Amino acid sequence: MTAVDPRRRPGAAHRAAADSEPLARTYVITQGRSGAGPRRRFDLVTLILAAAGAADRAVPGLMPEHRAILALCRRPLSVAEIAAHLRLPFSAAVVLVGDLVDAGLAAERRPARAAAVDPALLREVINGLQRL
Amino acid sequence: MASNGSEPPPALATTTASALKVAVVGPVGVGKTTLVTSVSEIKPLTTEEYMSSDADRAQARGVDKHSTTVAMDFGRISLSDRLVLYLFGTPGQERFWFLWDGLVTGALGAVVLVDVRRLAESFDVLERLEKRGVAFMVAVNRFPDAPVHPLPELRAALDLPGAVPIVYCDARDRDSCREVLLTLARYLLVLAEPEPEPEPEPEPEPEREAEPEAAV
């Protein structure tokens, strides 16, 4: 595997990690599990909602990152936003969110399927944009 | 850019049932993040992902000193109390295409943002979207110092099929960016609508704004 040459384009869109610390942190948090893969469990915009009271309950076995996610998801929040707020790569956030959903501490609301070909939904999009 | 500075982002309505996403694709510096910032109700966020092979290496060995991440800036628009739209700015170069699998799958469509001075940089992106069957439109970011070409010429230069909308926009201007998204949504509606309207109900005709739209 060839690593991308960090000299090629020092733009804002990507950056070479200055050191391995963030990756090490991610590895510890996810216990080596990777949410990356051909079939991801959550979409970037799957909405996550903490179960009632889950954010305030002392649930044993949760890591601080899990609790942070529950606190963020008192209202629905996309997995992409969760990852951004926690400063975690998306694939790592997927793992943690999956833990919470598996434990019944959070629920997922999946993105609208086949949205691009649903006229009713598209009209809703148009109306919403017109109201902006 | 604009946005709400350090204010906490407004939470989504509890009733928000599902989310949609649109990809904003183009080369570095074409104005993707600017466009997202202009229409987003939250200060744009950044989500990062490892370059394709890095995630596997991370899993296999824990730490890799040469790990590289790629970032996508994104924003959000609440369309109603049950629907929210996310906009992801993503780089167009081929080595970032692994990102697209997660982004483009299930996306409404894509806005290809181009700079008339660097049209060729968008050729690959257009081809990629066509191959993946993703509905897209082209928005030409009107840079103050860039020459203005007639849209039909740009359409020809980009070899766009006749139905694909192409518009000028100002990525810094909220109304202009909103109009781009409306153009995309209306185009998708045309594509989604079966030839003979099967619904007997009278369809509310969306008023069209006078934006220099697809010159056909």
Side-chain angles (χ1 to χ4, degrees), chain B:
Chain B
M1 297 229 68
S3 239
N4 301 332
S6 57
E7 286 172 42
L12 284 173
T14 314
T15 49
T16 309
S18 68
L20 304 166
K21 56 186 173 173
V22 163
V24 181
V25 200
V28 171
V30 77
K32 299 182 297 289
T33 302
T34 306
L35 185 151
V36 169
T37 304
S38 293
V39 282
S40 178
E41 68 194 19
I42 58 170
K43 191 169 155 32
L45 297 166
T46 301
T47 183
E48 294 202 329
E49 194 48 281
Y50 299 119
M51 293 297 281
S52 47
S53 56
D54 286 349
D56 301 331
R57 277 184 293 187
Q59 186 174 32
R61 285 189 268 139
V63 173
D64 187 306
K65 280 204 183 297
H66 302 291
S67 260
T68 307
T69 56
V70 56
M72 286 193 290
D73 293 332
F74 68 101
R76 187 180 90 190
I77 303 169
S78 292
L79 295 170
S80 70
D81 55 5
R82 59 171 291 274
L83 206 56
V84 60
L85 174 67
Y86 286 89
L87 291 177
F88 289 85
T90 185
Q93 297 97 312
E94 183 171 357
R95 67 179 186 283
F96 299 132
W97 283 354
F98 73 92
L99 270 183
W100 291 31
D101 294 329
L103 177 54
V104 166
T105 305
L108 270 186
V111 174
V112 178
L113 197 56
V114 304
D115 176 344
V116 289
R117 297 163 299 184
R118 299 189 287 151
L119 278 190
E121 290 180 41
S122 301
F123 291 171
D124 283 355
V125 166
L126 295 170
E127 197 165 318
R128 176 78 169 175
L129 288 170
E130 280 167 359
K131 274 201 185 123
R132 291 213 47 158
V134 180
F136 64 90
M137 65 169 290
V138 174
V140 186
N141 195 6
R142 206 192 286 269
F143 287 93
D145 46 346
V148 176
H149 299 290
L151 287 173
E153 275 180 27
L154 293 173
R155 173 183 294 283
L158 292 168
D159 193 23
L160 294 183
V164 173
I166 177 168
V167 299
Y168 269 106
C169 76
D170 180 344
R172 301 163 302 181
D173 183 78
R174 184 166 182 267
D175 286 344
S176 176
C177 297
R178 187 185 68 135
E179 200 55 41
V180 167
L181 295 175
L182 272 168
T183 302
L184 178 66
R186 287 172 182 144
Y187 172 54
L188 292 170
L189 184 57
V190 169
L191 294 179
E193 210 90 82
E195 281 295 314
E197 173 66 72
E199 297 159 43
E201 55 173 353
E203 169 193 331
E205 188 63 36
E207 322 101 59
R208 293 192 165 250
E209 321 250 292
E211 176 77 359
E213 212 177 304
V216 182

Side-chain angles (χ1 to χ4, degrees), chain A residues 87-105:
Chain A
R87 295 177 201 286
L88 283 172
F90 179 70
S91 53
V94 163
V95 171
L96 300 179
V97 169
D99 292 341
L100 295 171
V101 172
D102 288 344
L105 294 168

Side-chain angles (χ1 to χ4, degrees), chain A residues 32-127:
Chain A
R33 298 166 296 162
S34 166
R39 293 199 313 117
R40 273 207 171 114
R41 174 162 177 194
F42 299 106
D43 192 276
L44 283 163
V45 300
T46 301
L47 299 176
I48 304 298
L49 182 61
D56 309 304
R57 236 173 20 234
V59 181
L62 290 189
M63 291 186 295
E65 286 78 10
H66 285 127
R67 283 194 281 272
I69 293 172
L70 291 174
L72 281 171
C73 296
R74 288 191 167 98
R75 303 279 283 271
L77 204 65
S78 65
V79 180
E81 279 165 295
I82 291 169
H85 285 302
L86 265 58
R87 295 177 201 286
L88 283 172
F90 179 70
S91 53
V94 163
V95 171
L96 300 179
V97 169
D99 292 341
L100 295 171
V101 172
D102 288 344
L105 294 168
E108 61 179 305
R109 293 178 182 177
R110 295 188 182 163
R113 275 290 143 224
V117 294
D118 180 344
L121 196 75
L122 291 169
R123 284 199 192 90
E124 211 175 320
V125 171
I126 291 168
N127 290 337

